[in-house]
């Protein structure tokens, strides 16, 4: 095991921890930006350091296609290749197969898909996914799982969950760098509490360095979403990190953290920036709107980022959709916002002020008091009184 996870503070189920990885000592809860091709679109690695980014996520599928894992390995691993001194996490490549490719066929052997390069059938097995990730060299690597959309029901969900458990053993056997890289298993089972429970217990029996909750953020209703997170976090070990995959809305991160999750990733903050939208405490600010054309205020007067200190809404409005600089500035701000949210979650839990933080966060986002029912239900389970 190449990590240490030390809980520094708690509030009921929420926890703030120090996660020590081979390349960086991280503070949780934390958000990980997605750098698909070994880059966060529009930002240099030193800017990511400036805003306090701790872990970047890389997509195994995209990196294996281009520039190839062999070349990355030859050039000293992904950290060196992209000049990123802090931690990296790579996904298994399975999700991209299923989401990006038509005709992906999952069998016991692995995922068969058409090569986007020449159209020939290719097979990604659990063994090959781990070999590729061993070459890339991230601090955290993910097991290949059988991915099913949460909106699907029936026997396919059960089949995928049991296959995910069989594949974890093949991933563990194939993993050649357990002293440098941490293999996380992924809890599957759709929205079925019985299947989720079987999967959690099966993975915990394998005593992995950390655990992810997969198969969410795929269109299921929010009430189902938080209940699965609550069930899994309650059953996963206290002394290991818990990672909810694909979650990037600030509200979702606050709720999941209250329920005991530690790590999150999503393309949302940078993707929404490219569409001209900024994240602010009240929710979102659409910079393309004509009302922004002569607005001299910063995006967010409470934000200390370089963008909010130096540029007006009017300036960014004039750039979005016309100039790459617009989406770069918004990406910078949005990721700063997410890093600040992570820092605030961590410090409020450590200082014993987490309920106040949650109430303050919800008050800004829902000034009329119209907090969604699913959030109220989740906070009740997290034993946080948001009624005041």
């Amino acid at each position: 095991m190449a990590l240490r996870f030390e809980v520094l503070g708690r509030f009921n189920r929420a926890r703030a921890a120090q996660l020590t990885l081979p390349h960086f000592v991280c503070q949780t809860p934390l958000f990980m930006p997605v750098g698909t091709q070994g880059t966060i679109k529009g930002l240099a690695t030193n800017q990511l350091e400036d805003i306090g980014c701790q872990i970047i996520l890389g997509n195994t599928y995209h990196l294996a296609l281009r520039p190839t894992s062999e070349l990355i390995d030859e050039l000293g691993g992904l950290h060196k290749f992209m000049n990123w001194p802090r931690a990296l996490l790579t996904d298994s490549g399975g999700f991209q197969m299923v989401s990006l490719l038509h005709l992906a066929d999952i069998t016991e052997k692995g995922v068969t898909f058409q090569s986007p390069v020449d159209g020939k059938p290719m097979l990604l097995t659990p063994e090959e996914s781990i070999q590729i990730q061993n070459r890339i060299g991230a601090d955290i690597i993910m097991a290949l799982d059988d991915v099913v959309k949460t909106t699907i029901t029936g026997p396919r969900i059960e089949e995928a969950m049991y296959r995910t458990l069989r594949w974890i053993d093949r991933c563990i056997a194939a993993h050649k760098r357990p002293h440098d890289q941490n293999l996380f298993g992924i809890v599957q089972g759709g929205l079925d509490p019985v299947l989720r429970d079987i999967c959690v217990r099966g993975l915990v029996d394998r005593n992995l360095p950390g655990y992810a909750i997969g198969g969410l953020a795929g269109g299921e209703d929010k009430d189902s979403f938080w209940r699965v997170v609550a069930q899994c976090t309650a059953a996963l070990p206290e002394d290991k990190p818990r990672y909810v995959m694909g979650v990037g809305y600030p509200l979702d991160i606050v709720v999941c953290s209250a329920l005991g999750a530690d790590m999150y990733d999503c393309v949302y903050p940078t993707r929404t920036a490219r569409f001209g939208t900024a994240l602010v405490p009240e929710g979102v600010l659409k910079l393309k709107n004509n009302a922004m054309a002569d607005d001299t205020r910063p995006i967010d007067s409470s934000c200390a980022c370089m963008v909010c200190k130096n540029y007006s809404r009017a300036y960014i409005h004039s750039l979005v959709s016309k100039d790459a600089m617009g989406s770069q500035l918004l990406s910078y701000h949005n990721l700063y916002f997410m890093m600040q949210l992570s820092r605030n979650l961590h410090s409020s839990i450590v200082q014993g002020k987490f309920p106040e933080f949650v109430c303050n966060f919800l008050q800004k986002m829902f000034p009329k008091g119209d907090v969604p029912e699913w959030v109220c239900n989740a906070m009740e389970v997290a034993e946080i009184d948001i009624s005041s």
Side-chain angles (χ1 to χ4, degrees):
M1 208 175 293
L3 67 71
R4 212 168 68 243
F5 185 77
E6 184 192 352
V7 176
L8 305 176
R10 293 176 191 280
F11 186 86
N12 293 334
R13 295 174 64 150
R15 68 250 196 100
Q18 185 161 286
L19 170 63
T20 306
L21 294 167
H23 288 86
F24 200 64
V25 179
C26 309
Q27 311 296 319
T28 72
L30 65 80
F31 175 78
M32 303 179 281
V34 178
T36 303
Q37 208 82 50
T39 168
I40 308 286
K41 287 188 180 74
L43 296 179
T45 47
N46 65 329
Q47 291 180 298
L48 294 167
E49 281 187 76
D50 290 345
I51 63 176
C53 177
Q54 307 182 76
I55 307 178
I56 294 175
L57 191 137
N59 291 124
T60 291
Y61 169 77
H62 294 287
L63 291 165
L65 282 179
R66 192 179 79 244
T68 76
S69 61
E70 288 81 2
L71 181 66
I72 291 171
D73 189 21
E74 217 175 283
L75 299 176
L78 186 56
H79 285 93
K80 197 171 174 190
F81 184 63
M82 66 184 281
N83 188 28
W84 175 247
R86 296 183 179 182
L88 285 167
L89 180 151
T90 44
D91 61 10
S92 67
F95 179 77
Q96 268 72 28
M97 312 264 153
V98 178
S99 64
L100 297 179
L101 302 166
H102 314 297
L103 312 173
D105 183 31
I106 301 177
T107 62
E108 196 57 35
K109 259 188 180 165
V111 186
T112 306
F113 61 101
Q114 274 190 324
S115 162
V117 181
D118 56 14
K120 285 185 184 147
M122 289 174 70
L123 176 70
L124 181 75
T125 62
E127 292 78 9
E128 199 195 354
S129 171
I130 298 300
Q131 283 158 14
I132 294 168
Q133 293 186 80
N134 280 165
R135 288 195 286 268
I136 293 170
D139 300 67
I140 296 171
I141 64 176
M142 302 306 298
L144 185 66
D145 55 341
D146 187 350
V147 183
V148 188
K149 281 197 169 136
T150 36
T151 45
I152 290 172
T153 51
R156 177 71 186 97
I157 296 280
E158 186 169 352
E159 176 194 46
M161 185 278 291
Y162 280 111
R163 181 172 287 142
T164 293
L165 281 179
R166 290 192 296 275
W167 281 3
I168 190 68
D169 293 324
R170 289 169 59 186
C171 289
I172 292 166
H175 184 21
K176 296 287 181 278
R177 299 181 60 188
H179 301 298
D180 314 303
Q181 294 181 289
N182 299 284
L183 173 63
F184 279 27
I186 303 172
V187 180
Q188 291 292 355
L191 304 178
D192 184 328
V194 176
L195 296 181
R196 285 277 177 180
D197 190 51
I198 294 166
C199 200
V200 167
R201 283 187 298 181
L203 290 174
V204 172
D205 284 345
R206 270 82 172 175
N207 191 26
L208 297 158
Y211 301 90
I213 300 166
L216 293 173
E220 72 284 345
D221 65 282
K222 287 293 194 190
D223 217 56
S224 304
F225 162 76
W226 81 258
R227 287 177 197 280
V228 170
V229 172
Q231 180 195 347
C232 295
T233 52
L236 287 167
E238 279 290 312
D239 60 344
K240 304 276 179 76
R242 306 163 183 162
Y243 162 28
V244 189
M245 303 179 81
V247 166
Y249 293 142
L251 178 61
D252 294 1
I253 287 174
V254 170
V255 170
C256 290
S257 298
L259 294 168
D262 309 298
M263 300 165 66
Y264 313 93
D265 83 282
C266 193
V267 295
Y268 171 69
T270 42
R271 182 172 287 168
T272 203
R274 293 196 293 279
F275 289 107
T277 301
L279 302 179
V280 291
E282 297 72 29
V284 294
L285 187 70
K286 295 187 188 311
L287 273 301
K288 282 185 178 175
N289 286 359
N290 289 335
M292 300 290 152
D294 57 359
D295 192 332
T296 55
R297 291 174 296 173
I299 292 170
D300 172 11
S301 56
S302 69
C303 177
C305 86
M306 168 275 289
V307 178
C308 291
K309 278 181 178 167
N310 292 294
Y311 303 105
S312 67
R313 295 176 182 188
Y315 176 68
I316 296 166
H317 169 83
S318 73
L319 294 178
V320 285
S321 71
K322 297 176 199 69
D323 193 302
M325 186 67 164
S327 64
Q328 285 175 27
L329 292 174
L330 281 177
S331 292
Y332 187 101
H333 165 79
N334 283 359
L335 287 182
Y336 184 94
F337 180 92
M338 298 305 287
M339 297 309 128
Q340 191 57 47
L341 175 65
S342 303
R343 287 189 285 269
N344 291 343
L345 286 165
H346 179 88
S347 60
S348 68
I349 297 168
V350 169
Q351 292 163 11
K353 295 177 179 170
F354 186 59
E356 293 92 318
F357 170 78
V358 173
C359 289
N360 195 22
F361 177 90
L362 293 174
Q363 167 72 46
K364 284 178 187 155
M365 196 168 269
F366 305 103
K368 294 178 185 155
D370 52 345
V371 177
E373 194 181 346
W374 71 271
V375 176
C376 298
N377 294 341
M379 288 303 150
E380 209 171 301
V381 168
E383 294 180 57
I384 292 172
D385 180 10
I386 59 167
S387 57
S388 49

